[in-house]
Amino acid sequence: MPLELVTVPCLGDNYAYLVHDAATGATAVVDVPDAAPIRAALAGHGWALSGILLTHHHVDHVAGVDELRAETGARVLGAAADAHRLPRLDAALGEGDSITIGSEEGRVIEVPGHTVGHIAFHFPASALVFTGDSLMALGCGRLFEGTPAMMWQSLRKLSALPPDTLVCSGHEYAEANARFARTLEPENPALILRSGSIAAARREGRPTVPSQLSDEMATNPFLRANVAALKAAVGMPDAPDAEVFAEIRARKDKF
Ligand code: ZN
Ligand code: FE
């Protein structure tokens, strides 16, 4: 049975995710921007928290960790590379490490760029990937610590996952991301369609996450720096992919 996924809006525009294995009752949360909404979601489902998975050290992803750990005894897992600036870890993880939620096994993917220690969690059997502020709906995280080449490599790794994978990312930024994407590819039919569904979702107060990886591949400019249409759009038809990505990221920063 696939893992059950619950999207939990937190703070102004953050998302945490509850992941529940019905077979064993195991429940994990990915990122803890704030303990209260996660506590409420757990209570609403009658689930007991067993694990806390952290994508990166920023305060809007870890602020409620100590509180939830104290209440539930859940184990905290995060990047070994950032153990010095994450809440205390029970397991420190790196590329390829295995993690389990009940009976389902996942894998750690290192995705540096937004921060150098950023990691993602992939659960192949349930076709879920938790990307925090690396790959986001129609966007990617700002490069606070890494280089464009580093983030491009990280996004390439995520692009290689099966196209039906659901991308569970850390913020509700899709509407602004859609406006930016359309400056680059105003005629992309998939992007026009997706912009419409994003606008409708936001009007109705629904999250735009999770998103399907195949939709990201077709519409997310940050995954498309290797596509001729995007290279042409930024006037760099012959440039290497990572340089085109750097230009797209620089334009978004000024947008
Ligand atoms: Zn962040
Ligand atoms: Fe964030």
Side-chain angles (χ1 to χ4, degrees):
M1 237 201 330
L3 294 167
E4 239 176 283
L5 178 73
V6 176
T7 303
V8 186
C10 295
L11 308 175
D13 59 28
N14 276 80
Y15 289 118
Y17 297 91
L18 293 184
V19 194
H20 177 73
D21 178 44
T24 60
T27 305
V29 65
V30 181
D31 286 345
V32 189
D34 182 11
I38 294 162
R39 182 186 302 121
L42 287 165
H45 287 83
W47 294 343
L49 192 67
S50 39
I52 297 175
L53 309 183
L54 302 176
T55 62
H56 67 296
H57 75 283
H58 284 160
V59 66
D60 63 314
H61 297 257
V62 306
V65 169
D66 290 338
E67 205 178 325
L68 272 194
R69 185 213 311 257
E71 286 172 20
T72 63
R75 280 165 47 84
V76 180
L77 292 75
D82 271 343
H84 61 286
R85 54 182 182 175
L86 283 163
R88 182 171 53 80
L89 299 179
D90 298 299
L93 307 168
E95 179 76 20
D97 281 353
S98 155
I99 42 177
T100 54
I101 299 177
S103 52
E104 185 151 339
E105 188 169 357
R107 194 171 54 91
V108 173
I109 307 174
E110 292 184 345
V111 288
H114 177 69
T115 65
V116 291
H118 201 303
I119 56 176
F121 303 97
H122 180 221
F123 293 90
S126 296
L128 296 171
V129 66
F130 297 90
T131 57
D133 293 355
S134 58
L135 173 59
M136 307 176 88
L138 262 185
C140 78
R142 256 174 208 273
L143 303 180
F144 287 120
E145 298 177 359
T147 64
M150 201 183 262
M151 180 63 112
W152 174 245
Q153 266 320 109
S154 297
L155 295 178
R156 291 302 293 161
K157 285 202 236 175
L158 295 171
S159 302
L161 299 178
D164 66 344
T165 304
L166 282 183
V167 179
C168 307
S169 54
H171 288 269
E172 183 54 68
Y173 292 159
E175 221 164 13
N177 288 345
R179 277 198 299 278
F180 171 70
R182 290 185 69 171
T183 65
L184 299 173
E185 288 195 288
E187 325 253 271
N188 176 340
L191 178 58
I192 294 168
L193 204 65
R194 192 172 176 199
S195 299
S197 14
I198 286 170
R202 295 315 296 150
R203 267 198 309 276
E204 294 157 20
R206 284 183 288 115
T208 60
V209 296
S211 55
Q212 188 145 315
L213 184 57
S214 56
D215 288 334
E216 298 299 339
M217 297 302 290
T219 58
N220 186 329
F222 298 100
L223 291 182
R224 292 167 62 75
N226 57 344
V227 173
L230 247 296
K231 293 194 180 202
V234 296
M236 301 172 72
D238 303 314
D241 303 344
E243 284 175 32
V244 176
F245 171 80
E247 171 62 20
I248 297 171
R249 186 61 253 177
R251 288 190 187 199
K252 176 64 165 62
D253 290 344
K254 284 178 252 150
F255 183 68

